[in-house]
Amino acid sequence: SIVVPGADTQFQHILRLLNTNVDGRRKVTYAMNAIKGCGRRYANLVCKKADVDMTKRAGELTTDELERLVVIMQNPRQYKIPDWFLNRQKDFTTGKYSQVLANQVDNTIREDLERLKKIRAHRGVRHAYGLRVRGQHTKTTGRKGRTVEYVKGRIGVQESKESIQIIREDEKEKCPDAAYCETFVNDNILPSLSDIIDLKTEYIGSIDPEIEIGVKCLHGDGECIGNIQQLCVQKYIPKYFDFIICQNRKQRRIPSEIVLNTCLDFVNASDEERGQVTQCIGSDEGKDLHIASVEKSKKLGAGKSCTVYLADKQRCIRDGGRWYDCPGGYEVENFLNDICLEFKKNNGKDFPGLYETN
């Protein structure tokens, strides 16, 4: 603490209580409000339990008085403060009643949100996506920073056990076609055929050995770093496509570390997986993955925004808000049927429980 002696007594202009700087010039009940989790009513009650004169300034309190305040704040039930007065009632893990203070407030909130995300509760999912949770209207409010476009430069989803590819290339401003393709696959193809599909993403860019990142992206280095993040997640985390869907909803903030960590939380990445992804992003490994992906995109001949391939053959294109060049049709049933035909061709039998193909 910073102690400034007065004429007759020592007066502390700044007190350090529960890892918080408290203004010694304010009345004690108001000064205590600087501590997270300690409001005016709780501070008033604690002062009464500690027999502290509430007309005093915080800097006038003795060491014994400060210790009593801290002990009572941290152990309210021992001093007959009622359970209904506390801010943490019937804790989910321990079932105990307590007053959460200072750094514990942020830790407790984070743990609660992590639990909700982990069990995929509705509130947890909305927190993970960065959406409002408490029933507010969202059509016309809170639109700043809202996800409208999708990750620039990604060419979509490629390869399965029966080899499905969706080639994606962003336009100058927005690419709703690429977003549509990814959502189309995630909502309509994966639920039925996830056992025989292994989705992967590839990316578009220009290889340039003279620049540090190795690839020149249409929309700058931020786009390239976002591509590298997704490629590293793709390599080390099985549920990488869920990670991409999560990032798409926060595209304007890619490649922010906050978005990266939020989406890693969303897919329940382990500490080991997080370490592998982080090391990959910050090393030549991520750069090499990006270069290899760009080369593969060129080999496939990716040209239009969202081109679907099946068994390395162009199956369909979606561009300008419509499907075209789709010899097998573009309805969900058409895609499912063609994938099952490819499965039968490679395995000599139908995929059980979905289609019987001729």
Side-chain angles (χ1 to χ4, degrees):
S1 302
I2 298 176
V3 180
V4 180
D8 301 322
T9 184
Q10 288 187 341
F11 183 89
Q12 299 185 63
H13 286 268
I14 299 177
L15 299 85
R16 190 69 178 170
L17 298 177
L18 297 174
N19 294 321
T20 306
N21 291 332
V22 175
D23 188 353
R25 298 171 298 176
R26 304 189 68 191
K27 294 286 185 70
V28 60
T29 51
Y30 295 98
M32 289 169 63
N33 298 162
I35 302 171
K36 274 191 177 182
C38 182
R40 286 181 295 176
R41 296 180 66 216
Y42 189 69
N44 187 295
L45 183 56
V46 168
C47 287
K48 289 179 180 178
K49 294 288 184 181
D51 292 327
V52 171
D53 185 358
M54 289 184 288
T55 63
K56 281 186 176 182
R57 306 286 172 177
E60 297 174 345
L61 298 180
T62 65
T63 303
D64 290 341
E65 289 174 326
L66 292 174
E67 288 180 356
R68 289 205 303 272
L69 289 175
V70 171
V71 169
I72 294 173
M73 278 194 292
Q74 293 179 322
N75 304 281
R77 300 187 78 192
Q78 296 180 14
Y79 293 87
K80 298 183 179 180
I81 293 178
D83 290 342
W84 57 263
F85 212 95
L86 306 180
N87 65 5
R88 186 67 174 176
Q89 300 179 19
K90 201 172 183 181
D91 183 83
F92 184 84
T93 305
T94 63
K96 295 181 179 179
Y97 292 76
S98 63
Q99 184 74 8
V100 180
L101 300 164
N103 297 338
Q104 294 178 349
V105 174
D106 292 332
N107 293 336
T108 302
I109 292 174
R110 184 171 60 253
E111 290 171 2
D112 287 347
L113 293 180
E114 291 301 321
R115 177 175 59 82
L116 291 173
K117 293 175 186 176
K118 186 174 182 179
I119 65 176
R120 302 302 293 273
H122 179 67
R123 284 172 55 210
V125 171
R126 291 188 68 84
H127 272 296
Y129 285 155
L131 302 174
R132 297 189 174 185
V133 176
R134 300 183 179 181
Q136 301 98 314
H137 289 205
T138 57
K139 182 177 180 180
T140 57
T141 64
R143 297 181 67 84
K144 184 176 181 181
R146 196 59 42 182
T147 297
V148 178
E149 58 187 2
Y150 278 66
V151 180
K152 299 173 182 176
R154 190 172 67 250
I155 60 167
V157 190
Q158 181 251 304
E159 193 178 290
S160 74
K161 296 172 186 176
E162 307 316 321
S163 189
I164 296 181
Q165 299 166 348
I166 301 178
I167 305 303
R168 179 183 196 237
E169 181 183 19
D170 275 340
E171 302 294 340
K172 177 77 173 177
E173 297 293 335
K174 303 174 183 177
C175 189
D177 298 305
Y180 181 91
C181 280
E182 289 176 345
T183 303
F184 182 87
V185 170
N186 188 62
D187 294 348
N188 301 304
I189 307 298
L190 289 180
S192 301
L193 299 178
S194 60
D195 292 340
I196 61 172
I197 294 177
D198 180 22
L199 292 173
K200 293 183 180 178
T201 57
E202 304 298 341
Y203 301 81
I204 285 177
S206 302
I207 297 175
D208 188 350
E210 295 184 359
I211 61 177
E212 182 179 357
I213 203 167
V215 174
K216 185 177 181 181
C217 294
L218 180 62
H219 304 288
D221 290 346
E223 177 190 357
C224 288
I225 295 171
N227 296 345
I228 290 172
Q229 287 180 352
Q230 294 183 357
L231 284 166
C232 289
V233 170
Q234 178 176 295
K235 180 174 180 179
Y236 290 108
I237 297 180
K239 296 173 65 178
Y240 84 92
F241 199 65
D242 287 341
F243 174 89
I244 290 174
I245 296 296
C246 173
Q247 271 204 333
N248 283 344
R249 291 175 168 85
K250 306 172 187 294
Q251 182 186 355
R252 292 177 184 269
R253 291 183 283 167
I254 293 174
S256 161
E257 286 192 17
I258 296 175
V259 175
L260 174 65
N261 291 325
T262 298
C263 292
L264 287 174
D265 291 341
F266 181 69
V267 297
N268 298 323
S270 65
D271 292 339
E272 181 181 0
E273 289 171 337
R274 287 172 184 268
Q276 291 171 331
V277 169
T278 302
Q279 184 176 359
C280 173
I281 293 170
S283 67
D284 288 340
E285 182 182 7
K287 174 182 173 181
D288 293 340
L289 287 172
H290 195 199
I291 292 173
S293 178
V294 171
E295 289 176 340
K296 190 167 186 179
S297 302
K298 290 182 178 179
K299 184 178 178 181
L300 289 170
K304 291 292 184 180
S305 172
C306 186
T307 305
V308 181
Y309 283 75
L310 179 60
D312 291 331
K313 297 178 182 178
Q314 183 176 308
R315 171 63 177 77
C316 200
I317 296 175
R318 184 177 176 87
D319 190 35
R322 65 187 184 89
W323 293 103
Y324 61 91
D325 288 349
C326 304
Y330 54 82
E331 300 295 339
V332 175
E333 293 78 8
N334 303 138
F335 284 104
L336 292 174
N337 188 59
D338 283 358
I339 295 168
C340 290
L341 284 170
E342 189 65 27
F343 178 85
K344 183 176 182 179
K345 177 181 175 182
N346 293 338
N347 297 276
K349 60 180 180 179
D350 289 310
F351 179 62
L354 189 64
Y355 288 98
E356 291 185 1
T357 54
N358 297 320

